[in-house]
Amino acid sequence: MTAMTTTTLHKAAATVAADADERPRKRRRGLAPGKRLPAARLAGPLLVLALWAVASAAEALDPAAIPAPWTVVETGTQLWTDGTLITDILTSLQRAASGFVIGLTAGVVLALASGLTRTGEALIDGTVNLNRAIPTLGLIPLFILWLGIGETFKIAIIAIVVYIPIYLNTHAALSGIDNRFVELAEVQGLSKLRFIREIVIPGALPGFFVGLRLGVTGSWLGLVVLEQINATSGLGYMMFQATNYGQSDVILVGLVVYGIFGLASDSTVRLIERRVLSWRRTLSS
C-alpha cells in the first residue's frame, strides 16, 4: 500500500511539474526602454535653447561673445532678406551633395568588392584603413597641389570624409554575416545574384545605414572647414568673414544652419532606415 501511495505521489508531482512547464511564463516588464516618444530627439536641442535664452535674459552671458537667441534670429532674418544667407546655403548644399554622392558610391562599391572576394579584401581593405589612419583634413595641402584651389579639391575631400565610414561599417556588416546562411544558400543552389540579393544585401543593410549616418554628418563637418579656404561663398565663408569683423551673431547663424541641416539629414536617414529595416525587432523599434 505504501509503495502504491509513493508511486501515485510521484506521478502527481510529475504531472504538476509538466503542467508548470507548459504553462506560459509571465513576461518580465520594465527591461525595454518603452514606447518611442514623438519628436523625442528634439528634447535635447530645445532644452539647450531654453537654457541659452534664460542665461541671456539673466545677463549671465556676454552678448559680444554669445548673443541672445532672439538676436541670432534677427540677424538670420536680415541675412535671408538680403539674399546673402540663401545664396550661401545653396552653395554649401551643392558642395555637400556632390561630395556625398561620390563618397557614397565609392564606399558601397569598395565595401562590396572587399567583402565578397578575398582578392578585393587583400587589395582594398588595408588601403582604406591606411587612408583612415591619415587625418583627412591633413590631406588638404596635397590635394590643393593636385587639384588646384577651386571647387574640385573641396568636393574630393568631402568624398573621402564620407566614403570611409560607409566602407568600414558596410564591410564589417558583410564580414559579420553568419556562415550558416552561406551554407544554406549553397544547399539551396542559389545563384550568385540571388545570394547577393537575398542574403548579402539584407545582412549588410544595418551596417550600411550606420555608415550612412556617419557619412552624412561627416560631409557637414568637412564642409565647415573647407569653405574657409579660398571660397567666395558658402556658410563657412560667411562665418570666416564674420570672424574678421567680430560678428559673433553671424557666426552663430552659420552654426545654427549647419546644426539644422545636420539634424535634418540624420533624421531623414533614420526614417529611411526604419522603413527599410521594418522587419527587425530592436530596442529602438
Side-chain angles (χ1 to χ4, degrees), residues 247-283:
Q247 299 172 315
S248 57
D249 53 343
V250 177
I251 296 175
L252 284 175
V253 168
L255 291 176
V256 168
V257 174
Y258 273 127
I260 291 174
F261 280 131
L263 182 61
S265 55
D266 183 75
S267 300
T268 301
V269 174
R270 282 177 177 269
L271 178 61
I272 296 173
E273 180 183 11
R274 285 199 297 270
R275 296 291 176 85
V276 174
L277 303 179
S278 58
W279 47 269
R280 290 199 311 167
R281 301 290 296 175
T282 63
L283 287 178

Side-chain angles (χ1 to χ4, degrees), residues 13 15 24 51-52 54 61 64 92 105 112-113 131 137 145-146 152 175 181 184 191 196 216 221 238 248 255 258 278:
T15 303
L51 293 175
W52 179 16
V54 170
L61 300 175
S92 296
T105 304
L112 289 175
N131 190 359
L137 297 180
L145 292 177
W146 288 349
T152 306
S175 302
F181 293 125
L184 179 61
S191 64
I196 293 175
V216 168
L221 294 177
M238 180 188 74
S248 57
L255 291 176
Y258 273 127
S278 58

Side-chain angles (χ1 to χ4, degrees), residues 129-150:
N129 279 280
L130 176 63
N131 190 359
R132 179 173 68 101
I134 300 174
T136 304
L137 297 180
L139 297 173
I140 290 178
L142 189 60
F143 271 64
I144 290 177
L145 292 177
W146 288 349
L147 304 174
I149 204 167

Side-chain angles (χ1 to χ4, degrees), residues 4-51:
M4 292 180 60
T5 304
T6 304
T7 304
T8 303
L9 290 176
H10 277 299
K11 288 183 177 180
T15 303
V16 172
D19 292 339
D21 289 339
E22 292 177 0
R23 190 180 304 144
R25 296 181 179 180
K26 186 177 180 180
R27 180 182 175 184
R28 292 185 62 187
R29 299 187 179 275
L31 298 179
K35 293 184 179 180
R36 182 186 297 274
L37 300 176
R41 299 189 187 280
L42 295 178
L46 290 177
L47 177 61
V48 172
L49 179 61
L51 293 175

Side-chain angles (χ1 to χ4, degrees), residues 124-139 160-169 171 214:
I124 297 172
D125 192 59
T127 306
V128 174
N129 279 280
L130 176 63
N131 190 359
R132 179 173 68 101
I134 300 174
T136 304
L137 297 180
L139 297 173
I160 293 175
V161 172
V162 170
Y163 101 90
I164 290 178
I166 291 178
Y167 168 86
L168 292 175
N169 287 277
H171 180 267
L214 294 174

Side-chain angles (χ1 to χ4, degrees), residues 12-245:
T15 303
V16 172
D19 292 339
D21 289 339
E22 292 177 0
R23 190 180 304 144
R25 296 181 179 180
K26 186 177 180 180
R27 180 182 175 184
R28 292 185 62 187
R29 299 187 179 275
L31 298 179
K35 293 184 179 180
R36 182 186 297 274
L37 300 176
R41 299 189 187 280
L42 295 178
L46 290 177
L47 177 61
V48 172
L49 179 61
L51 293 175
W52 179 16
V54 170
S56 297
E59 298 182 352
L61 300 175
D62 182 6
I66 305 179
W70 43 88
T71 303
V72 175
V73 171
E74 182 180 353
T75 302
T77 303
Q78 182 179 355
L79 292 173
W80 183 275
T81 304
D82 295 342
T84 304
L85 185 59
I86 184 62
T87 302
D88 291 332
I89 287 176
L90 291 176
T91 302
S92 296
L93 285 174
Q94 182 179 0
R95 288 173 180 149
S98 300
F100 178 77
V101 170
I102 296 173
L104 172 62
T105 304
V108 171
V109 171
L110 291 175
L112 289 175
S114 177
L116 297 179
T117 63
R118 295 301 182 189
T119 303
E121 184 178 24
L123 296 175
I124 297 172
D125 192 59
T127 306
V128 174
N129 279 280
L130 176 63
N131 190 359
R132 179 173 68 101
I134 300 174
T136 304
L137 297 180
L139 297 173
I140 290 178
L142 189 60
F143 271 64
I144 290 177
L145 292 177
W146 288 349
L147 304 174
I149 204 167
E151 293 295 311
T152 306
F153 100 90
K154 296 181 178 67
I155 295 175
I157 293 294
I158 293 174
I160 293 175
V161 172
V162 170
Y163 101 90
I164 290 178
I166 291 178
Y167 168 86
L168 292 175
N169 287 277
T170 306
H171 180 267
L174 287 171
S175 302
I177 294 177
D178 197 323
N179 195 53
R180 289 175 294 180
F181 293 125
V182 181
E183 295 173 353
L184 179 61
E186 292 173 348
V187 170
Q188 295 295 324
L190 297 184
S191 64
K192 189 74 172 179
L193 183 60
R194 285 191 62 191
F195 170 69
I196 293 175
R197 186 176 67 248
E198 299 179 12
I199 303 296
V200 172
I201 293 179
L205 279 176
F208 165 75
F209 277 111
V210 173
L212 187 63
R213 289 179 56 201
L214 294 174
V216 168
T217 305
S219 65
W220 293 110
L221 294 177
L223 189 65
V224 70
V225 176
L226 294 168
E227 286 190 330
Q228 299 182 26
I229 302 174
N230 193 43
T232 57
S233 61
L235 292 172
Y237 169 77
M238 180 188 74
M239 294 168 61
F240 181 73
Q241 292 295 105
T243 303
N244 295 332
Y245 295 101

